[in-house]
């Protein structure tokens, strides 16, 4: 239904939303921002008061909202209407429309309030705007916004006809009412016939309103989130060596003793460590033999027989409770603690050893010279700050002796099925060298044959013809190194160089290359 059949102009009434009166009335509401959870809690409390018909409490909760919304302001107007305070209800509806200029139900409600106050032209303007914001819809269901109310277009036209009745325009009221009778919606049948009959008898119509107690409500899911939830739950003791232990928290941090960490016990009365006054010999099953003065841990309480369950030396057993007395685990002042620590050792507090600082003095004392019988510095002497017993000159002599020992030897590389290297003196004969190689290869010396390669050729010459008493490894060495090739005798003869036999057959190895 179009609003064009309302003959009243609405331009001057549209501007009333920003007039001075509503601006001054809006100052009564606080403009401070507040948390949504706080707004939600106050909103829910006001709705509960509305359900209980406790209008003052509902208003008090709504007025505590520092940043009200259009829905909470509409609820405020509904509470004022229930109390019969039309002026305050009108101010609250003005703020509601200022928050949401397209809320058709707010225009519908404000038009009824203005009609009751005798402001007929403004009431008619509100109904025109209400029908416009319905956007040619037959009905608007506000359930999704939390208001259990459906606004029908025929209800808007009905109230407009009521305004015309109060203005004395009966023909216009009848035409609008006939238009409303053609609209769809429940509840209009009997109401329209009675309204037409009232207009014929020139009786004013009563306006329709949102029912009392029907207000905007917050979402149920949001309200459920207001309740505090314990996601961690309460800690419970599953297993404890202490009877009737119901402590489920955490112990506070304790200052560690130097060297060891031990539990802090506040007095002997709080400790379960007991001391055996006299020696006791086991006299029955389950009993322990404990020397006098021993420390035991009280595991269980005293039973009917006067025996208590204790732990001693890693074993659990029974001891007479009369022989136990509380042990004072605290060391008295001025007395040295001679107990052996049994806690968890802390990391060592000593600094790691450092490299000894060498002396750069040109004049060294003669008694500090290193002789051949003086051993090299050990790790213990290096970690202390003692003056080293050798000088730079002695170190040079020691290094020169090591270089001479290295110069008097030669490194021999032998190519076999695999390659091995060994260091031998320069005066080693060929026969001794063959014994050393056989020992290295774990093969009999009689089954091995050593070959050499002359410089500039690829031919391997056996050393058998050169194994004379005067020939040594020094004749083979070049720059302190020598390279030989080794072959092994088999029953079937000498294996060719570069081949070796195995259970899987003959395999080809790597032949020597010319350099």
């Amino acid at each position: 239904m179009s609003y064009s059949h309302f003959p009243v102009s609405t331009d001057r009434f549209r501007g009333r939303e920003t007039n001075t009166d509503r601006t001054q009335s809006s100052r009564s509401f606080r403009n401070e921002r507040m948390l949504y959870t706080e707004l939600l809690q106050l909103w829910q409390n006001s709705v509960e008061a509305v359900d209980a018909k406790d209008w003052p409490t509902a208003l008090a909760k709504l007025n505590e909202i520092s940043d009200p919304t259009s829905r909470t302001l509409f609820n405020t107007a509904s509470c004022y209407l229930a109390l019969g305070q039309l002026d305050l209800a009108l101010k609250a509806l003005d703020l509601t429309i200022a928050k949401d200029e397209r809320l058709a139900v707010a225009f519908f409600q404000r038009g009824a309030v203005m009609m009751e106050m005798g402001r007929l032209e403004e009431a008619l303007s509100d109904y025109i705007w209400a029908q416009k914001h319905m956007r040619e819809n037959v009905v608007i269901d506000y359930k999704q916004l939390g208001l259990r109310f459906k606004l029908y277009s025929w209800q808007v036209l009905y109230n407009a006809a009521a305004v015309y009745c109060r203005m004395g325009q009966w023909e216009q009221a009848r035409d609008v009412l006939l238009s409303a009778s053609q609209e769809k919606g429940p509840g209009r049948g009997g109401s329209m016939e009675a309204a037409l009959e009232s207009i014929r008898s020139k009786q004013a119509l009563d306006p329709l309103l949102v029912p009392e107690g029907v207000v905007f409500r917050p979402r149920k899911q949001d309200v459920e989130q207001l309740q505090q939830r314990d996601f961690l739950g309460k800690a419970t003791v599953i297993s404890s060596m202490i009877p009737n232990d119901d402590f489920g928290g955490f112990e506070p941090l304790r200052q560690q003793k130097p060297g060891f960490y031990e539990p802090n016990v506040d007095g002997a009365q709080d400790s379960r460590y007991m001391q055996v006054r006299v020696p006791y010999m086991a006299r029955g099953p389950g009993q322990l033999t404990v020397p006098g003065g021993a420390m035991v841990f009280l595991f269980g309480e005293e039973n009917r027989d006067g025996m208590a369950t204790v732990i001693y030396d890693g074993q659990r057993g029974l001891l007479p409770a009369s022989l136990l007395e509380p042990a004072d685990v605290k060391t008295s002042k001025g007395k040295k603690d001679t107990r052996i620590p049994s806690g968890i050792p802390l990391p060592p507090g000593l600094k790691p050893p450092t490299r000894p600082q060498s002396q750069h003095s040109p004049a060294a004392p003669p008694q500090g010279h290193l002789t051949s019988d003086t051993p090299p510095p050990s790790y213990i002497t290096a970690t202390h700050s003692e003056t080293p017993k050798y000088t730079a000159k002695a170190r040079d002599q020691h290094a020169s002796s090591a270089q001479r020992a290295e110069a008097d030897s030669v490194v021999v590389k032998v190519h076999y099925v695999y390659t091995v290297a060994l260091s031998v003196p320069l005066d080693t004969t060929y026969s001794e060298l063959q014994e050393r190689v056989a020992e290295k290869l774990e093969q009999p010396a009689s089954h091995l044959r050593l070959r050499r390669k002359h410089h500039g050729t690829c031919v391997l010459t056996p050393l058998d013809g050169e194994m004379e008493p005067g020939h040594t490894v020094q004749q083979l060495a070049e720059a302190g190194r020598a390279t030989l090739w080794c072959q092994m005798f088999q029953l079937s003869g000498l294996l060719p160089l570069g081949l070796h036999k195995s259970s899987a057959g003959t395999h080809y190895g790597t032949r020597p290359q010319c350099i």
Side-chain angles (χ1 to χ4, degrees):
M1 171 62 66
S2 173
Y3 58 89
S4 59
H5 58 87
F6 290 119
V8 180
S9 176
T10 60
D11 293 338
R12 62 190 181 95
F13 300 114
R14 180 64 174 173
R16 72 176 303 278
E17 296 178 1
T18 58
N19 57 16
T20 306
D21 295 338
R22 193 183 318 115
T23 303
Q24 293 177 354
S25 63
S26 64
R27 294 175 183 175
S28 60
F29 294 90
R30 291 175 296 174
N31 295 325
E32 300 177 359
R33 302 289 297 180
M34 66 185 310
L35 296 177
Y36 180 70
T37 54
E38 298 177 359
L39 184 147
L40 201 63
Q41 185 64 55
L42 293 173
W43 188 3
Q44 176 63 20
N45 294 339
S46 66
V47 170
E48 294 175 356
V50 168
D51 294 339
K53 304 298 181 181
D54 188 1
W55 308 111
T57 302
L59 282 174
K61 294 297 182 181
L62 291 170
N63 290 332
E64 291 181 12
I65 300 176
S66 60
D67 188 17
T69 63
S70 60
R71 290 182 287 180
T72 58
L73 290 171
F74 185 89
N75 293 357
T76 304
S78 300
C79 294
Y80 282 128
L81 285 176
L83 294 174
Q85 302 176 6
L86 299 181
D87 294 339
L88 295 178
L90 180 59
K91 292 180 180 180
L93 287 172
D94 289 344
L95 294 175
T96 302
I97 295 175
K99 288 282 187 179
D100 189 354
E101 296 181 353
R102 292 173 176 78
L103 190 61
V105 68
F107 285 98
F108 176 78
Q109 192 81 337
R110 191 175 71 171
V113 174
M114 287 184 176
M115 191 186 308
E116 293 292 336
M117 297 176 65
R119 302 165 64 171
L120 301 180
E121 292 185 0
E122 295 175 302
L124 185 60
S125 176
D126 281 344
Y127 290 128
I128 294 175
W129 285 109
Q131 190 181 29
K132 177 183 178 181
H133 292 313
M134 291 191 71
R135 298 182 180 88
E136 299 183 359
N137 293 317
V138 178
V139 61
I140 296 179
D141 190 359
Y142 289 95
K143 184 178 180 180
Q144 293 182 354
L145 296 179
L147 183 66
R148 300 171 185 174
F149 179 74
K150 293 181 180 181
L151 179 62
Y152 293 91
S153 60
W154 70 265
Q155 294 175 333
V156 178
L157 295 175
Y158 183 92
N159 281 7
V163 174
Y164 283 123
C165 291
R166 294 175 184 250
M167 295 174 67
Q169 302 178 11
W170 301 102
E171 294 295 332
Q172 189 68 27
R174 184 179 62 83
D175 294 341
V176 174
L177 199 59
L178 289 176
S179 300
S181 63
Q182 297 177 2
E183 296 289 334
K184 298 179 181 180
R188 62 178 178 82
S191 300
M192 290 300 173
E193 295 178 358
L196 288 172
E197 186 65 26
S198 299
I199 290 177
R200 292 190 188 100
S201 59
K202 295 185 178 181
Q203 295 180 0
L205 302 177
D206 294 330
L208 300 177
L209 287 167
V210 178
E212 183 180 299
V214 178
V215 294
F216 285 98
R217 300 173 181 269
R219 295 178 58 208
K220 183 180 179 180
Q221 295 84 347
D222 295 344
V223 175
E224 291 177 352
Q225 295 296 328
L226 294 177
Q227 300 177 0
Q228 295 183 356
R229 297 183 180 180
D230 187 6
F231 293 98
L232 297 178
K234 184 178 180 181
T236 57
V237 178
I238 300 176
S239 177
S240 176
M241 62 185 302
I242 303 176
N244 302 325
D245 185 10
D246 57 350
F247 179 73
F250 297 92
E251 294 184 358
L253 295 177
R254 297 169 178 169
Q255 186 177 3
Q256 296 183 358
K257 296 181 180 180
F260 287 87
Y261 167 75
E262 295 179 353
N264 184 17
V265 181
D266 299 332
Q269 64 276 9
D270 298 332
S271 174
R272 298 185 65 86
Y273 286 94
M274 300 291 175
Q275 186 175 9
V276 182
R277 294 184 296 176
V278 295
Y280 180 78
M281 184 69 68
R283 303 175 183 176
Q287 298 184 7
L288 297 176
T289 300
V290 182
M295 296 282 291
V296 297
F297 181 79
L298 184 60
F299 186 80
E301 301 297 334
E302 182 180 357
N303 56 18
R304 297 180 180 179
D305 300 332
M307 306 294 288
T309 304
V310 299
I311 296 178
Y312 172 72
D313 197 15
Q315 297 180 357
R316 184 172 64 178
L318 300 176
L319 283 179
S322 59
L323 301 181
L324 303 178
E325 60 181 3
D328 189 5
V329 296
K330 296 178 64 177
T331 304
S332 59
K333 296 183 180 180
K335 185 185 297 183
K336 186 177 179 181
D337 189 6
T338 58
R339 295 179 298 145
I340 299 176
S342 59
I344 303 174
L346 297 175
L350 300 178
K351 295 183 179 180
T354 58
R355 184 184 299 274
Q357 300 294 334
S358 59
Q359 296 182 359
H360 300 282
S361 176
Q367 64 273 14
H369 289 183
L370 179 67
T371 61
S372 58
D373 298 335
T374 304
S378 62
Y379 176 79
I380 299 176
T381 59
T383 56
H384 292 76
S385 58
E386 297 179 0
T387 304
K389 298 181 180 180
Y390 55 95
T391 60
K393 182 178 179 180
R395 287 198 303 272
D396 295 341
Q397 293 178 357
H398 182 70
S400 60
S401 62
Q403 292 177 359
R404 287 195 303 270
E406 183 179 356
D408 294 340
S409 62
V410 61
V411 178
V412 181
K413 182 186 296 184
V414 181
H415 294 286
Y416 183 57
V417 178
Y418 50 89
T419 302
V420 296
L422 63 160
S423 178
V424 296
L426 288 175
D427 55 354
T428 304
T429 60
Y430 290 166
S431 58
E432 294 177 355
L433 177 61
Q434 186 171 2
E435 293 290 341
R436 294 284 301 275
V437 172
E439 181 181 357
K440 188 75 172 180
L441 299 178
E442 298 181 355
Q443 298 290 343
S446 60
H447 292 179
L448 298 180
R449 174 175 292 181
L450 299 177
R451 292 174 178 268
R452 60 174 294 190
K453 182 175 63 175
H454 293 279
H455 184 70
T457 63
C458 296
V459 180
L460 298 178
T461 305
L463 299 180
D464 295 344
E466 300 178 2
M467 288 187 179
E468 298 179 0
H471 292 275
T472 61
V473 180
Q474 186 174 5
Q475 300 176 0
L476 303 176
E478 293 181 2
R481 297 178 181 273
T483 304
L484 300 177
W485 281 261
C486 179
Q487 291 179 321
M488 184 175 180
F489 285 104
Q490 297 289 346
L491 296 177
S492 57
L494 182 66
L495 284 178
L497 184 64
L499 298 178
H500 63 276
K501 287 188 176 181
S502 64
S503 59
T506 303
H507 301 274
Y508 291 87
T510 303
R511 292 184 176 274
Q513 299 178 359
C514 294
I515 301 176

